[in-house]
Amino acid sequence: MYLTDRVKGIDTSPTLAITSKAQELSRKGVEIINLGAGEPDFNTPEHIKEAAIEAIKNNFTNYTTSSGIRELKEAICEKLKVENGVEYEIEEIIVSSGAKHSLYNTIQAICGSGDEVILPAPYWVSYPQQIKLAGGKTVVLETEEKNEFKLKAEDLAAQINDRTRALILNTPANPTGALYTEDELRSIAQVAVEKGIYIIADEIYENIYYDQKPVSISSFGPEIKELTILINGVSKCYSMTGWRIGYAAANKDLVAAMSRLQSHSTSNPNSIAQKASVVALTGEQKAVALMRNTFKERRDYIVERIKDINGLSSINPQGAFYLFVNATELIGSQIAGVKVNNDHQLVELLLTEAKVAVVPGSAFGFPGYLRLSYASSKEELTAALDSIAELLN
């Protein structure tokens, strides 16, 4: 069977691979605790579900404008103005089928053959694959745990050349939970303006923060706003992962190009989900605050528990719902009679022996680490950590 080099070059998602193995064991009757999940374990709030039901009853089930309905774009503009301190016009907003789709549109629009996109590691697994699909080159800048896995402005400046098109900046970050301060973002923004490169600002976890509220890099003035492609959506903070609504805010020429691309690929996002997303953004936000407080309690719990497990350590994540665990001490050691040569083998061992699914750090461009999601109940976290501790201690 013939397949293009473009498709053959795409790597399988490591997170999906782990999930598949966990599901296979579950089908065989093995009880697995999944700490690899990338979605909240909360239900979509009732008032949002009711808005979707109302949309169906009102027969709002046909095609919409391919770039999204005006009502949702207006809600996004108001949200960005009030919450992020930056003003956008309707023509500067595109709604897509999830934030991942918004990222795909963005990279396809600004990145071509041989163009370079700078990507701080650890990074979310889909970034390099999307750059590859656009024909671009991923330039990985490895960060340091002692700096909370955050990119330094001087390192960014040193890496930019005439082929550099953009920097992807995810804050709060998956998989580390790192959150950039305003001063750190201003330094990065200054470099971007001086060098004339885009900032793809992935802010999908912005409402899941703990000790300080995130700041949007696009809010620092007209120059950096013109260079920023702000990516967000409703999936994480409203527990709407399956509804598939994301959006991008950028200069109108770029949004127009992305809209043309979308019109010939997916066309409009789900009409019913768009109506529900209007209510998500404009309605009461109590569920968001409740979720954030619950995640903070879980974060505090899992961080303390990890300290007492042999060979594991971590920084304190400031956002999202992941713990990026340093397991480098365990690489090369014997565990349950097996020599662990890399983080993939360690993950396999945790799955088969401790019955806990996690994701290897190498999936995020950072070998020797593990990503644990605490988007699970306190009872599941306790059972998982007890099992891991029993195996490693």
Side-chain angles (χ1 to χ4, degrees), residues 177-196:
L179 176 62
Y180 285 79
T181 66
E182 181 173 342
D183 287 343
E184 290 166 339
L185 288 176
R186 285 189 180 277
S187 296
I188 290 170
Q190 183 177 352
V191 171
V193 170
E194 289 175 355
K195 301 290 187 178

Side-chain angles (χ1 to χ4, degrees), residues 66-67 94 253-265:
S66 63
S67 62
I94 175 174
D253 292 335
L254 181 53
V255 166
M258 293 164 66
S259 298
R260 291 195 299 272
L261 172 63
Q262 184 163 298
S263 71
H264 291 293
S265 53

Side-chain angles (χ1 to χ4, degrees), residues 203-223:
E203 300 181 357
I204 191 65
Y205 293 98
E206 73 160 332
N207 274 310
I208 304 175
Y209 63 89
Y210 306 118
D211 303 318
Q212 72 178 60
K213 187 175 180 180
V215 177
S216 180
I217 197 169
S218 61
S219 66
F220 297 153
E223 288 183 307

